[in-house]
Amino acid sequence: MTTEVTVPTLGESVTEATVGEWLKQPGDAVAADEPIASLETDKVAVEVPSPVAGVIGEFTVELGETVEVGAVIAKIEEGATVAATGEEPARAKQMREEGNEKREDDGGSASSGDGSVSMSPAVRRVVLEHGLDPTTIKGTGKDGRLTKEDVLAAAKNKGAGPADASKPAPAAASVPAAAKGERREERVKMTRMRQTIAKRLKAAQDNAALLTTFNDCDMTAVIEARNAYKDVFAKKHGIKLGFMSFFAKAASLALKDVPAVNAYIDGDEIVYHDYVDMSVAVSAPNGLVVPVVRSVDAMSFAEIELAIADYGKRAKEGTLTMEDMQGGTFTISNGGVFGSLMSTPIINPPQSAVLGLHRIEERPVAVNGEVVIRPMMYLALSYDHRIIDGREAVTALKIMKEAIEDPMRMLIDL
């Protein structure tokens, strides 16, 4: 009996997606509810589970093809599972052999019992670029799948030790190097998520009156507090005490005192919030995503750190949901983790402001008439000038600065 696999409901107002990765191949056995494909939507990757146990028969759409909700993407031969003895039904064996031949033609590999590795097109490209053997790389993605970060980390460590002469070099390594002076180009279709990011950022520039105000803050007090309590904090809460929780609490204070920074424009009305749902930009294999930590103003430092860590882990695994991304009244983006000294972040519509954090750098500053060396960070607050006046933006950023330089303010709500 053949069962069709259809595109599931993708979320509110989302009607289509792009086939980003096949997690199984024709001839592979699947269990009921086991993911067989990953679809890229405007915001997140959505896995499509198998409705029944059986063997993958055929795919009815191509990798990279746009599909609508309810469309048939694959067919499963129900009940044609691989026996516990390891023997396969004749039809399943035939489909597996056909799938293997197709994978060889495509130059890719898939996760199966033959020791091959499941890779998305982006990951496969990085593997080939660095001449790595994917079977020697430990995957940290869902179900052990390789991520781009896994491959880049392996490439960075490549050559750290003597080569193992007993292992054959990967095929990609034998590709002759480009001749000196030769120039190459590669044309790669943008993922649906990257297309959406591009459209939203351009729309923000076109529709909002963007302006950025800067300040710098002395990180001495926060660093001292973190160093004094990080061990007992981690022991009690099971999570490291980072800087993001301090900035989330500091921003919450500022947004309560300056409500316009936590509001947005809806037609000819301004919508104010008496809560803070904070979007936190985190890096995912397919681009930057901004899951929402809800009611962050009512959360403890530990709850904030746990929520952000969970989002970071799920972003890397590709398991964030549409609900995780929806809403948000204010955004924090930490470019400092990548070494940025200063930037002008773009707001995340329909929000009206975003706080940009940057790297901590020791610099000489004047304190009480003396020049001292302090760990300093530049803060950038980009905002929509249609709703937020310069005075309000500067005041909000100043409140954040003061809270970071004197963390006691966050405990006594000043």
Side-chain angles (χ1 to χ4, degrees):
M1 178 179 176
T2 300
T3 300
E4 295 181 337
V5 181
T6 60
V7 178
T9 301
L10 301 171
E12 184 180 353
S13 74
V14 181
T15 60
E16 61 181 21
T18 300
V19 181
E21 180 181 4
W22 294 115
L23 307 180
K24 293 288 185 178
Q25 293 294 328
D28 288 347
V30 293
D33 297 325
E34 184 178 3
I36 66 170
S38 178
L39 304 180
E40 294 179 354
T41 69
D42 293 349
K43 296 183 177 180
V44 296
V46 177
E47 291 186 339
V48 181
S50 171
V52 296
V55 171
I56 301 293
E58 63 174 326
F59 298 139
T60 58
V61 295
E62 298 293 332
L63 192 68
E65 186 173 336
T66 298
V67 291
E68 296 183 349
V69 173
V72 177
I73 63 172
K75 295 181 179 180
I76 295 178
E77 300 295 332
E78 186 176 351
T81 56
V82 178
T85 60
E87 298 180 355
E88 295 178 290
R91 174 58 180 158
K93 184 176 181 180
Q94 178 185 352
M95 288 188 293
R96 180 180 295 280
E97 291 174 350
E98 292 174 353
N100 287 339
E101 291 175 1
K102 186 177 188 302
R103 288 198 294 274
E104 290 175 1
D105 293 339
D106 293 342
S109 60
S111 177
S112 67
D114 60 5
S116 58
V117 180
S118 175
M119 295 184 292
S120 67
V123 173
R124 183 181 296 113
R125 184 169 62 252
V126 178
V127 167
L128 295 176
E129 286 175 354
H130 293 280
L132 300 175
D133 180 357
T135 62
T136 65
I137 306 173
K138 180 177 176 58
T140 61
K142 186 174 180 60
D143 297 327
R145 294 198 299 271
L146 289 181
T147 66
K148 186 176 180 180
E149 287 75 10
D150 297 330
V151 179
L152 292 177
K156 184 177 181 181
N157 296 328
K158 185 179 179 182
D164 188 348
S166 65
K167 293 183 178 180
S174 63
V175 177
K180 185 176 181 180
E182 180 180 354
R183 304 195 305 172
R184 295 181 176 179
E185 292 182 355
E186 181 181 11
R187 190 178 295 271
V188 180
K189 185 177 180 179
M190 294 172 68
T191 65
R192 177 171 290 273
M193 183 182 295
R194 176 53 59 184
Q195 293 178 45
T196 300
I197 290 173
K199 291 177 181 177
R200 286 175 60 83
L201 293 181
K202 183 56 181 173
Q205 288 184 319
D206 291 341
N207 299 327
L210 290 178
L211 190 62
T212 304
T213 184
F214 299 93
N215 212 323
D216 62 357
C217 66
D218 186 345
M219 296 290 292
T220 300
V222 166
I223 292 175
E224 290 177 349
R226 182 172 178 268
N227 290 338
Y229 298 109
K230 64 180 181 180
D231 292 336
V232 65
F233 186 90
K235 183 177 180 180
K236 180 176 181 179
H237 301 292
I239 188 70
K240 292 182 179 179
L241 177 60
F243 294 127
M244 281 298 292
S245 54
F246 285 93
F247 280 101
K249 298 297 285 187
S252 295
L253 283 180
L255 300 182
K256 291 290 187 180
D257 284 355
V258 189
V261 182
N262 195 42
Y264 71 94
I265 295 176
D266 183 15
D268 59 356
E269 298 179 331
I270 298 176
V271 180
Y272 293 94
H273 307 92
D274 66 351
Y275 55 86
V276 179
D277 283 352
M278 192 164 291
S279 302
V280 180
V282 296
S283 181
N286 292 331
L288 200 68
V289 294
V290 279
V292 180
V293 182
R294 306 189 191 281
S295 299
V296 71
D297 51 314
M299 299 173 70
S300 67
F301 280 72
E303 290 171 333
I304 295 172
E305 292 291 353
L306 286 166
I308 293 175
D310 177 61
Y311 279 142
K313 178 175 179 291
R314 290 164 57 195
K316 186 175 181 181
E317 295 174 347
T319 58
L320 289 173
T321 66
M322 297 295 291
E323 290 73 19
D324 294 328
M325 317 287 285
Q326 292 174 346
T329 62
F330 181 79
T331 295
I332 293 183
S333 179
N334 186 6
V337 297
F338 304 110
S340 172
L341 178 64
M342 186 178 292
S343 67
T344 56
I346 300 178
I347 63 174
N348 180 25
Q351 298 172 20
S352 298
V354 54
L355 175 66
L357 308 182
H358 303 90
R359 75 169 185 254
I360 300 172
E361 185 177 62
E362 289 192 343
R363 296 198 300 269
V365 294
V367 177
N368 297 324
E370 295 183 356
V371 177
V372 296
I373 304 297
R374 292 290 176 86
M376 305 296 293
M377 176 193 288
Y378 286 117
L379 304 180
L381 183 70
S382 291
Y383 60 98
D384 187 347
H385 212 344
R386 295 177 303 164
I387 181 176
I388 303 170
D389 294 332
R391 175 182 60 82
E392 293 173 315
V394 171
T395 299
L397 192 58
K398 183 171 179 287
I399 292 172
M400 298 178 203
K401 166 186 168 70
E402 292 173 345
I404 293 298
E405 294 185 339
D406 183 8
M408 184 62 71
R409 288 175 171 267
M410 289 182 270
L411 300 179
I412 58 178
D413 194 18
L414 284 180

